[in-house]
Amino acid sequence: HLYVFDSFEGLPETLDFDAAHFHKGQFQSDFEVVKEYLNSYSNVHVYKGFFPQKNAEHVEDKKFSFVHLDVDLYESTRDSLEFFYPRMSKSGCLISHDYYAEGVFRAFKEFFADKPEILIELPEDQVLIVKV
C-alpha cells in the first residue's frame, strides 16, 4: 500500500527560520488531478489535509518499512517524525527532502538527539535514517 498525505493547500504558516526558503501557500496542488493521476494504481490511498492533524487515523495502526517526507517546515517535519518513527519497522528507512532548510535540519537534529539512529546525509539535500 502507498499512502499519500498532502494538504493540497500549500504550506501552512511558517516560522521565522522556515521563511528563508518557504512561505504560506507555496506548493499548492489539485487534489482531484493527483487522485486521477494515481487512480490506475491499486492500493494507492490519497488523503487531503495537514498531516498528522488530519487523516492520521487511517494509518495509526500500521507499521511502515519506508517513509518519504517532503514537508519542508520545522513543525511539519517534527510532527511527522513523532508520528512515523514509533510506527517504523526495524530496518525501515525514512528519507526526507529539504534537509538544507533550517527547519527540517533542526527538527531532525532535535528529534534524533536521544535516539540510536545515525542521520545519513544524501545527495540532493536529503537525509536518511534506518531504524535500529
Side-chain angles (χ1 to χ4, degrees):
H1 290 271
L2 174 66
Y3 298 93
V4 178
F5 299 95
D6 197 305
S7 72
F8 294 94
E9 298 172 16
L11 298 176
E13 199 65 49
T14 61
L15 299 174
D16 289 342
F17 51 80
D18 289 322
H21 299 284
F22 305 107
H23 62 272
K24 183 178 180 178
Q26 188 176 6
F27 306 125
Q28 292 179 16
S29 57
D30 188 306
F31 177 67
E32 294 304 324
V33 169
V34 171
K35 277 188 69 169
E36 180 63 31
Y37 181 78
L38 297 172
N39 193 38
S40 63
Y41 300 98
S42 61
N43 297 323
V44 175
H45 314 274
V46 182
Y47 299 98
K48 181 178 182 178
F50 289 102
F51 187 88
Q53 296 80 2
K54 189 170 181 185
N55 295 311
E57 68 276 7
H58 297 289
V59 294
E60 64 189 357
D61 63 339
K62 307 282 187 219
K63 289 293 259 182
F64 297 90
S65 58
F66 179 78
V67 174
H68 181 265
L69 300 179
D70 188 2
V71 295
D72 307 309
L73 307 177
Y74 173 81
E75 289 179 340
S76 300
T77 302
R78 182 201 60 217
D79 292 349
S80 294
L81 291 172
E82 288 173 358
F83 181 85
F84 286 111
Y85 180 82
R87 292 171 174 83
M88 289 182 64
S89 304
K90 185 176 179 181
S91 301
C93 295
L94 183 145
I95 296 176
S96 182
H97 190 247
D98 300 313
Y99 192 58
Y100 71 91
E102 184 177 349
V104 174
F105 182 85
R106 183 183 293 194
F108 267 85
K109 291 293 188 181
E110 290 174 5
F111 186 82
F112 286 100
D114 63 347
K115 299 188 179 43
E117 287 78 17
I118 297 169
L119 299 175
I120 304 166
E121 294 186 33
L122 301 173
E124 304 299 324
D125 302 316
Q126 297 183 85
V127 63
L128 162 74
I129 67 103
V130 178
K131 180 96 180 252
V132 293

